[in-house]
């Protein structure tokens, strides 16, 4: 909001006739021009008129010099300094320093841990530049349970520890609103990448229970089929199997394959060529 026309007090000149005040002049500037109005009684009233919108963010104070010139010879003049202070309007929205914040968090990190500091800048002044941070209005309830933001500082924290095996990435928006009227707001995107920790032990499932094996069973006969899985990823999910047997070498493990989507190892237990019933009736 701005006043586009300023009436000024006419200059005083004690002389009369052609020696009295004849005209005004304003220093040359980008924003203001001078209009001189003639009152009914012949008084010349100077008016400063705005010819271009002011922008406080570009220039908050304008210094003008108004000169009154008389018609005498020699010509005499007087000057007045005019200071125009531009009041702020809320015409800038907060803008985040980054459009996207990519954050890495190790799973099982303690609740309350600060995982990122976000910051938005607002070019306006006073309350028009004071910022309040919040999670975006469309943020899913599940994400609101896990992440929270300090409305004043922009500190993003985890409210609960994250589980890589449950979800390895989260995406949401953060909003910055100023306290101007009307309120203006800006957004940024957040992507949280959860890093895996080795927090799952391998699980062995016997899918085909050992059955009695005939003593003349050929070498390589399958004794049992087992599955092994480890919910972790990468090396944390790699499993090595070893067999503890009271007759080493008689029963061997053969691995049949990996399934990488969920770390999963299918394993076959086979009898070796030395298998003979006379040695023992049971192997553990
Ligand atoms: Ca402004
Ligand atoms: Ca603003
Ligand atoms: Ca894990
Ligand atoms: Ca593991």
């Amino acid at each position: 909001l701005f006043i586009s026309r300023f009436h000024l007090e006419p200059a005083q000149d004690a002389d009369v006739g052609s020696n009295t005040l004849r005209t005004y002049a304003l220093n040359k500037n980008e924003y203001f021009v001078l209009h001189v109005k003639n009152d009914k009684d012949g008084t010349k009233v100077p008016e400063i008129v705005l010819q271009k919108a002011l922008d406080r963010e570009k220039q908050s104070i304008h210094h003008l010099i108004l000169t009154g010139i008389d018609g005498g010879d020699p010509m005499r003049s007087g000057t007045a300094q005019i200071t125009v202070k531009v009041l702020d309007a809320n015409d800038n929205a907060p803008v985040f320093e980054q459009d996207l914040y990519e954050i890495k968090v190790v799973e099982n990190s303690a609740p309350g841990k600060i995982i990122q500091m976000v910051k938005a800048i607002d070019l306006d002044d006073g309350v028009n530049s004071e910022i309040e941070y919040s999670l975006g209005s469309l943020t899913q309830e599940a994400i609101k349970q896990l992440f929270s933001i300090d409305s004043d500082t922009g500190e993003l924290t985890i409210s609960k520890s994250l589980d890589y095996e449950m979800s390895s990435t989260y995406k949401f928006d953060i909003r910055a609103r100023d306290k101007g009227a009307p309120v203006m707001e800006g957004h940024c995107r957040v992507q949280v990448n959860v890093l895996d920790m080795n927090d799952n032990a391998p699980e062995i499932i016997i899918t085909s229970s050992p059955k009695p094996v005939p003593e003349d069973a050929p070498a390589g006969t399958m004794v049992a089929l087992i599955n092994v899985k480890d919910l972790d990823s990468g090396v944390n999910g790699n499993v090595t199997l070893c067999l503890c047997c009271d007759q080493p070498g008689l029963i061997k493990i053969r691995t049949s394959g990996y399934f990488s989507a969920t770390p999963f190892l299918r394993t076959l237990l086979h009898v070796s060529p030395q298998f003979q019933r006379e040695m023992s009736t049971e192997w553990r």
Side-chain angles (χ1 to χ4, degrees), residues 99-129:
D99 291 336
L100 170 70
Y101 288 86
E102 269 196 274
I103 307 163
K104 287 180 180 147
V105 186
V106 176
E107 68 168 327
N108 305 324
S109 293
K113 182 189 163 81
I114 299 167
I115 57 167
Q116 182 72 43
M117 189 94 170
V118 300
K119 189 169 168 57
I121 304 285
D122 189 311
L123 295 176
D124 296 315
D125 193 30
V127 291
N128 292 339
S129 68

Side-chain angles (χ1 to χ4, degrees), residues 103-116 141-148 156-172 190-200 232:
I103 307 163
K104 287 180 180 147
V105 186
V106 176
E107 68 168 327
N108 305 324
S109 293
K113 182 189 163 81
I114 299 167
I115 57 167
Q116 182 72 43
E141 212 35 57
I143 285 177
K144 286 184 189 168
Q145 303 280 314
L146 292 174
F147 301 96
S148 66
L156 184 66
T157 53
I158 46 171
S159 312
K160 289 180 182 168
S161 60
L162 306 177
D163 183 2
Y164 175 88
E165 283 71 42
M166 202 154 86
S167 176
S168 60
T169 48
Y170 296 94
K171 291 176 184 172
F172 53 93
V190 172
Q191 181 173 332
V192 177
N193 296 319
V194 184
L195 304 179
D196 186 33
M197 268 183 73
N198 191 20
D199 58 347
N200 288 282
D232 297 313

Side-chain angles (χ1 to χ4, degrees), residues 196-202 230-233 235-239:
D196 186 33
M197 268 183 73
N198 191 20
D199 58 347
N200 288 282
D230 186 312
L231 293 176
D232 297 313
S233 293
V235 289
N236 295 338
N238 286 355
V239 178

Side-chain angles (χ1 to χ4, degrees), residues 37-238:
K37 213 170 73 179
N38 284 305
D39 264 9
K40 279 176 197 147
D41 63 355
T43 315
K44 288 178 160 52
V45 182
E47 283 180 347
I48 290 176
V49 180
L50 194 61
Q51 60 170 357
K52 185 179 166 185
L54 296 167
D55 184 354
R56 191 207 64 87
E57 282 72 65
K58 237 164 104 179
Q59 192 176 346
S60 61
I61 288 179
H62 297 262
H63 295 288
L64 305 175
I65 300 163
L66 180 70
T67 310
I69 305 156
D70 68 13
D73 186 15
M75 195 171 74
R76 288 182 177 277
S77 66
T79 58
Q81 302 257 1
I82 298 164
T83 303
V84 179
K85 191 165 179 251
V86 185
L87 300 178
D88 186 39
N90 192 22
D91 55 351
N92 288 282
V95 177
F96 280 93
E97 289 182 332
Q98 286 175 236
D99 291 336
L100 170 70
Y101 288 86
E102 269 196 274
I103 307 163
K104 287 180 180 147
V105 186
V106 176
E107 68 168 327
N108 305 324
S109 293
K113 182 189 163 81
I114 299 167
I115 57 167
Q116 182 72 43
M117 189 94 170
V118 300
K119 189 169 168 57
I121 304 285
D122 189 311
L123 295 176
D124 296 315
D125 193 30
V127 291
N128 292 339
S129 68
E130 281 175 23
I131 292 171
E132 270 182 340
Y133 300 96
S134 59
L135 297 179
S137 55
L138 300 174
T139 308
Q140 295 164 13
E141 212 35 57
I143 285 177
K144 286 184 189 168
Q145 303 280 314
L146 292 174
F147 301 96
S148 66
I149 186 148
D150 186 303
S151 62
D152 294 329
T153 63
E155 282 173 352
L156 184 66
T157 53
I158 46 171
S159 312
K160 289 180 182 168
S161 60
L162 306 177
D163 183 2
Y164 175 88
E165 283 71 42
M166 202 154 86
S167 176
S168 60
T169 48
Y170 296 94
K171 291 176 184 172
F172 53 93
D173 281 2
I174 292 177
R175 180 172 69 177
R177 308 179 87 194
D178 65 26
K179 295 175 184 172
V183 171
M184 294 192 81
E185 63 178 51
H187 295 87
C188 72
R189 193 100 183 108
V190 172
Q191 181 173 332
V192 177
N193 296 319
V194 184
L195 304 179
D196 186 33
M197 268 183 73
N198 191 20
D199 58 347
N200 288 282
E203 196 185 337
I204 297 175
I205 304 150
I206 297 171
T207 51
S208 154
S209 305
K211 290 181 186 76
V213 182
E215 64 174 323
D216 59 350
T221 301
M222 192 183 82
V223 180
L225 182 65
I226 62 171
N227 283 333
V228 186
K229 65 176 178 182
D230 186 312
L231 293 176
D232 297 313
S233 293
V235 289
N236 295 338
N238 286 355

